[in-house]
């Protein structure tokens, strides 16, 4: 069996192009860059998540389990087998992803990492299924580690923390973060749609600081179309 890696491995450069075009209509039917499986605190099996992604016709996605890439790896293996068994069927791009707890302005935030080399030594402390401590816990070092592994760093749900997104986003930008999750549904509406006020505020900040404005459902339940 010969694997076409150009088809199966989604690149950082492609993700950067995608992030430049994300808008309020991108999630959840075209792209989704924030979701969890049973490999952290979600309820979806990786193969079920991928089956849904194909059924919904997603163009691209990232699985972002907390401090773990095993869900991503299981999904990647399933996707490669599906492509081999179903030639010609349209399938989404799957990027590596993980959600990392970190300290920023003395509050705990979550930083999403995308399109990184899962074998790079710098990312290893953050994929051990536990929150790191000490210097590794500082946002500056988390962002640096993601970059060292060739990845993209994004501040997750910036309006959900004990400190204002008006403070956190500039601070994260100063540390070299690449993006912030602009299109996010803070009140878990059904059907899913980004929160209008927070989205507008975060988009303005992202534009001011030259950051990608990303989207994701933060799925923890049994469907990629909702958070819970």
């Amino acid at each position: 069996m010969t694997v076409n890696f150009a088809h199966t491995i989604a690149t950082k450069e492609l993700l950067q192009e995608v992030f430049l075009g994300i808008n309020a209509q991108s999630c959840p039917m075209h792209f989704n860059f924030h979701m969890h499986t049973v490999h952290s605190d979600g309820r979806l099996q990786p193969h079920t998540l991928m089956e849904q992604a194909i059924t919904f016709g997603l163009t691209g996605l990232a699985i972002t389990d907390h401090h773990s890439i095993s869900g991503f790896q299981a999904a990647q293996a399933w996707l490669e087998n599906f492509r081999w068994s179903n030639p010609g069927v349209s399938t989404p791009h799957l990027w590596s992803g993980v959600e990392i707890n970190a300290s920023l302005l003395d509050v705990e935030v979550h930083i999403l990492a995308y399109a990184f080399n899962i074998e790079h030594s710098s990312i290893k402390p953050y994929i051990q299924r536990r929150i790191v401590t000490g210097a590794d816990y500082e946002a500056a070092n988390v962002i640096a580690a993601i970059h060292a592994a060739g990845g993209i760093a994004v501040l997750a749900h910036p309006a959900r923390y004990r400190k204002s997104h008006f403070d956190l986003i500039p601070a994260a930008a100063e540390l070299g973060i690449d993006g912030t999750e602009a299109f996010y549904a803070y009140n878990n509406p059904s059907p899913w749609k980004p929160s209008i006020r927070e989205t507008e505020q975060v988009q303005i900040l992202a534009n001011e600081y030259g950051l990608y404005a990303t989207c994701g459902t933060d799925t923890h339940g049994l469907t990629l179309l909702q958070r819970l």
Side-chain angles (χ1 to χ4, degrees), residues 6-158:
H7 182 57
T8 57
I9 297 178
T11 65
K12 174 183 176 181
E13 290 75 18
L14 178 59
L15 185 57
Q16 288 171 319
E17 288 182 28
V18 169
F19 279 168
L20 287 172
I22 293 295
N23 58 43
Q25 285 73 49
S26 296
C27 283
M29 300 306 294
H30 302 291
F31 294 98
N32 197 339
F33 296 108
H34 194 167
M35 58 188 81
H36 301 272
T37 73
V38 295
H39 289 258
S40 62
D41 58 348
R43 296 177 64 193
L44 281 169
Q45 294 288 341
H47 73 272
T48 307
L49 185 154
M50 292 310 303
E51 287 168 350
Q52 287 189 22
I54 291 169
T55 298
F56 297 148
L58 281 183
T59 301
L61 70 154
I63 293 168
T64 54
D65 280 317
H66 296 277
H67 298 272
S68 172
I69 60 165
S70 56
F72 156 72
Q73 290 174 304
Q76 185 182 49
W78 183 92
L79 182 60
E80 289 181 4
N81 286 333
F82 180 89
R83 285 170 171 160
W84 176 253
S85 304
N86 299 273
V89 175
S90 180
T91 56
H93 290 278
L94 175 66
W95 284 273
S96 58
V98 68
E99 187 168 12
I100 300 167
N101 291 39
S103 176
L104 178 63
L105 297 182
D106 297 320
V107 299
E108 184 168 83
V109 300
H110 293 175
I111 296 175
L112 297 160
Y114 299 114
F116 53 88
N117 175 1
I118 63 173
E119 300 296 338
H120 198 281
S121 60
S122 71
I123 206 71
K124 293 294 185 182
Y126 302 104
I127 54 175
Q128 304 298 322
R129 298 179 179 273
R130 61 179 181 271
I131 300 171
V132 298
T133 59
D136 286 343
Y137 180 63
E138 297 301 318
N141 293 325
V142 173
I143 294 166
I146 294 167
H147 288 162
I152 299 170
V154 171
L155 181 63
H157 39 64

Side-chain angles (χ1 to χ4, degrees), residues 27 31-35 181 183-185 192 214-219:
C27 283
F31 294 98
N32 197 339
F33 296 108
H34 194 167
M35 58 188 81
E181 197 170 39
F183 303 99
Y184 188 88
W192 186 94
T214 72
C215 72
T217 56
D218 198 5
T219 291

